[in-house]
Amino acid sequence: MDSIENNLLNKTSTSQQIEDLNKQAFAFSNTDPAKSKELAEKAFVLSNKNKLPRGQAKSLHLIGLYHLRSGDLKAAIEKSRASLELFTELNDENGMSSTLNTLGIAYRNTGSFDRGLDCLIKSLKIETGKKNDKNLVKLYGNIGNILDNMGKHSEGLQYYKKCLRIAGKLKDNSATADAYSNLGACYHHLEEFTKSINAHRKALKIRESLKNKRGISFCLNNLGLIYESQGKYKKALEYYLKSLDIKTKLKMKLETARTCNTVGNLYSILKDHETATKYLRKGAVLANKVNSPVALRDNHIYQASHNKELKNFEKALYHHIEYHKLDRQILNSTRIASMEAQLGLMNSELYAANEKLELANSKLSTLSVTDGLTGLFNRRRFDEFLHQEWNRCKRIEAPLSLLMFDLDFFKLFNDTYGHLEGDDCLKKTAKSIQNAAMRTTDLAARYGGEEFAIILSDTNSQGAKVVARAARAAVAALAIPHTNSAISDVVTVSVGIASMIPKKENNSAELIEKADKALYFSKETGRNRITLYEIQDTN
């Protein structure tokens, strides 16, 4: 009997230790994410060792939250799904709801908005049944955010207003400030700038009364963003610098890196190059320290623009290439997370029936080599095909050409017409580029973002130029309006071409690098033109 009692006491003591570790991990989740992850992992090891599923579920959820905030969406989804399974087995509605909320945000960040919305609606049903207004406030805010991201700003606005009403009823000042911040962002998207500024100022006033320095820094950042989008750069800098001062004091390294990038870019625009260099260098150092690909990517594109202004074209080219490398890495990581999320969903009880699972796996197999938006082959298939054709052309000593396309001023197009029109533009452009690759042995692919590529086997530079001209003309013939383009009233593309006869001492990465440099030259010398690497023959 003593032995049984001792075992029970030990188990209770271990459970309490795990609970304490998880509570500490949650407390550090905002101020020291790395410490939070370390504590949650200790809790998970103890829970696993002692077969305590509730402790496992909570620690997995906290680890998932860490990965979500650090940008590792694949790990965030993996840990959160494992946590959700355990909470479901335990019939723990609080845990299920909280984890569904985390999953919803993770799916949103991969671009899987429908799946994210589905998770949040499930969580909303749980919280509505419990009539838990405090959690409803968060859910209404997150649902509004997804709808806002989907371009459904008016629908998102309604959820934000619900969030504000409940927060007011609860007299929860922090939640009210969050609601005003969300409203401000939504009004910004609707280009109702006065309403946006008023909402953000209300949020700021509440944060200041609460002495919530972290919240104050975000409010200041949001106000800077509005003024920046209106071209009021000096006014924007006032808010960004105040925000940066707080973030630095709070040791918010990731947010500090991002704001340094923005501040450096604005100083560059305002021709204060010495100050711009200082902030951009600081942004790069911090982005590397926190290992944030997104912050580092943004730093590279700002550094490229800044060095171009300084006439330091070698450095500008270096940062431009590094930007594209990271952009592709981030895009591929997001795609992988999204596809793995799809696979996870297929393996859930929603797809329990064997026939449905087989059908879903068949679709996934097709999706694995196809870009979901444009229908072209994706980067994975591009890499496989290039490797295959490189080796084949090397054996027979035949020329291999690569064409790389980039839509001119596409960010401005999205800013002007919205992301739905942007997606439609990408689809039409992709079709035109695909039609230019007429042979069955040619491969057209979406390389990443607004970049496309065509691989032409057994084709020299002259043949490649024929295809490039046809593709460029076909895109222009679509006559898709682009009023904010600096070179044309319609959407156009810049093209880079590289041709090689593969040799033993070379590899396919060299062909990509040459085509990318040629594309960069096309963009830097006026856009809407074709450049052949080395020869620099521009049309």
Side-chain angles (χ1 to χ4, degrees):
M1 189 68 181
D2 287 345
S3 175
I4 294 172
E5 285 178 356
N6 282 334
N7 284 336
L8 285 170
L9 284 170
N10 287 336
K11 199 122 185 176
T12 302
S13 175
T14 304
S15 295
Q16 188 58 52
Q17 187 181 353
I18 292 165
E19 183 67 21
D20 290 343
L21 282 168
N22 280 327
K23 281 181 179 177
Q24 290 174 51
F26 182 74
F28 280 113
S29 59
N30 284 324
T31 56
D32 191 345
K35 181 70 174 176
S36 173
K37 178 173 175 276
E38 181 188 337
L39 291 166
E41 285 176 338
K42 283 183 181 177
F44 178 74
V45 170
L46 269 176
S47 302
N48 206 34
K49 182 180 177 181
N50 291 277
K51 297 180 180 178
L52 296 168
R54 195 173 300 280
Q56 287 176 300
K58 288 181 179 179
S59 52
L60 281 169
H61 182 213
L62 288 163
I63 296 167
L65 270 175
Y66 165 81
H67 288 302
L68 175 64
R69 287 166 179 168
S70 66
D72 188 346
L73 301 178
K74 178 183 173 184
I77 289 170
E78 177 189 328
K79 299 299 181 185
S80 297
R81 284 191 63 83
S83 172
L84 181 60
E85 286 178 15
L86 287 167
F87 278 130
T88 303
E89 287 173 10
L90 293 165
N91 198 27
D92 184 335
E93 287 194 337
N94 289 331
M96 289 162 62
S97 176
S98 183
T99 312
L100 281 165
N101 188 40
T102 302
L103 269 173
I105 297 167
Y107 284 134
R108 176 202 66 189
N109 291 354
T110 68
S112 300
F113 297 127
D114 289 335
R115 188 156 292 114
L117 196 57
D118 180 60
C119 287
L120 293 177
I121 294 297
K122 285 178 180 175
S123 179
L124 183 62
K125 286 180 180 176
I126 294 172
E127 298 301 336
T128 303
K130 291 161 38 181
K131 296 182 179 179
N132 188 333
D133 283 346
K134 190 171 182 180
N135 286 343
L136 285 173
V137 166
K138 293 178 183 176
L139 282 166
Y140 281 136
N142 288 333
I143 291 169
N145 185 265
I146 284 190
L147 291 168
D148 204 8
N149 274 278
M150 293 171 79
K152 299 179 179 179
H153 306 307
S154 296
E155 290 180 46
L157 199 63
Q158 297 310 310
Y159 276 93
Y160 289 149
K161 286 178 178 179
K162 286 181 182 179
C163 177
L164 184 61
R165 282 197 298 271
I166 296 174
K169 186 176 81 173
L170 292 171
K171 296 182 180 179
D172 185 335
N173 289 335
S174 180
T176 301
D178 286 340
Y180 275 125
S181 290
N182 285 330
L183 280 169
C186 196
Y187 281 130
H188 187 185
H189 295 146
L190 290 165
E191 297 186 355
E192 295 186 36
F193 298 119
T194 302
K195 287 184 178 179
S196 178
I197 289 169
N198 288 339
H200 283 308
R201 283 180 175 162
K202 286 178 181 178
L204 178 59
K205 188 176 180 180
I206 295 170
R207 297 289 187 208
E208 287 173 338
S209 71
L210 295 170
K211 296 181 180 178
N212 180 344
K213 291 184 179 179
R214 183 183 176 88
I216 291 168
S217 74
F218 286 122
C219 290
L220 292 167
N221 204 84
N222 288 333
L223 284 163
L225 186 62
I226 297 169
Y227 287 114
E228 182 188 358
S229 69
Q230 293 178 295
K232 299 176 181 178
Y233 301 127
K234 289 184 179 178
K235 188 73 173 174
L237 269 174
E238 288 179 27
Y239 286 102
Y240 282 137
L241 288 170
K242 287 177 184 177
S243 174
L244 181 59
D245 183 54
I246 295 170
K247 289 170 182 174
T248 304
K249 288 175 181 175
L250 293 179
K251 297 181 180 179
M252 297 163 62
K253 291 180 182 177
L254 175 57
E255 294 302 329
T256 302
R258 288 173 172 169
T259 308
C260 279
N261 291 340
T262 303
V263 168
N265 183 52
L266 289 187
Y267 274 120
S268 182
I269 291 170
L270 293 168
K271 309 298 183 186
D272 185 347
H273 298 304
E274 185 179 345
T275 309
T277 300
K278 181 182 78 171
Y279 280 104
L280 289 173
R281 282 177 179 169
K282 185 178 178 182
V285 170
L286 285 171
N288 275 302
K289 276 186 179 178
V290 297
N291 193 26
S292 170
V294 174
L296 199 54
R297 176 197 63 183
D298 293 345
N299 184 270
H300 278 302
I301 198 62
Y302 291 146
Q303 292 258 31
S305 177
H306 179 54
N307 279 286
K308 182 186 169 188
E309 285 289 320
L310 296 173
K311 310 297 183 187
N312 193 336
F313 297 114
E314 188 177 343
K315 278 190 177 180
L317 177 59
Y318 164 76
H319 286 294
H320 178 82
I321 291 169
E322 291 301 308
Y323 162 77
H324 278 289
K325 284 180 183 176
L326 278 170
D327 194 48
R328 289 163 196 153
Q329 176 189 321
I330 292 162
L331 184 64
N332 288 336
S333 174
T334 303
R335 284 175 178 169
I336 290 166
S338 181
M339 288 178 65
E340 290 188 347
Q342 290 175 4
L343 184 60
L345 184 63
M346 290 173 187
N347 287 329
S348 72
E349 39 184 88
L350 295 174
Y351 286 85
N354 285 334
E355 302 103 26
K356 288 185 179 180
L357 182 58
E358 287 172 4
L359 177 62
N361 284 333
S362 174
K363 287 180 179 177
L364 186 62
S365 178
T366 304
L367 284 170
S368 69
V369 293
T370 306
D371 176 59
L373 177 66
T374 63
L376 295 186
F377 286 114
N378 60 16
R379 178 65 186 276
R380 174 183 171 185
R381 178 56 183 151
F382 169 90
D383 289 338
E384 290 172 349
F385 188 79
L386 181 61
H387 178 72
Q388 167 193 313
E389 289 307 296
W390 178 271
N391 289 332
R392 189 182 69 80
C393 289
K394 183 165 64 177
R395 286 195 303 272
I396 63 175
E397 298 183 346
L400 179 65
S401 291
L402 173 62
L403 281 60
M404 296 191 74
F405 302 79
D406 189 279
L407 271 69
D408 297 323
F409 303 106
F410 187 69
K411 183 181 183 301
L412 281 174
F413 184 95
N414 269 337
D415 292 344
T416 305
Y417 301 102
H419 289 282
L420 291 178
E421 287 297 320
D423 287 351
D424 191 53
C425 173
L426 287 173
K427 290 177 190 175
K428 290 175 180 176
T429 303
K431 187 68 176 175
S432 294
I433 290 171
Q434 185 178 38
N435 289 340
M438 299 175 66
R439 302 178 305 178
T440 55
T441 54
D442 300 338
L443 181 134
R446 187 179 183 191
Y447 195 76
E450 64 266 32
E451 284 193 341
F452 300 90
I454 295 178
I455 298 171
L456 301 172
S457 303
D458 302 304
T459 305
N460 61 20
S461 59
Q462 293 307 308
K465 285 175 72 175
V466 170
V467 176
R469 287 172 184 146
R472 189 183 66 161
V475 172
L478 291 170
I480 300 170
H482 192 349
T483 55
N484 281 335
S485 170
I487 55 168
S488 174
D489 291 329
V490 297
V491 170
T492 58
V493 290
S494 297
V495 192
I497 302 172
S499 297
M500 294 175 69
I501 296 176
K503 304 289 184 184
K504 287 182 180 179
E505 61 269 25
N506 305 122
N507 59 57
S508 58
E510 292 177 41
L511 185 66
I512 294 173
E513 184 179 356
K514 288 179 178 181
D516 198 45
K517 285 181 178 178
L519 176 60
Y520 180 77
F521 189 88
S522 284
K523 292 169 71 174
E524 290 302 300
T525 54
R527 303 184 189 248
N528 189 23
R529 56 189 60 210
I530 299 164
T531 300
L532 179 62
Y533 180 79
E534 291 180 335
I535 298 174
Q536 292 186 350
D537 180 11
T538 304
N539 293 279

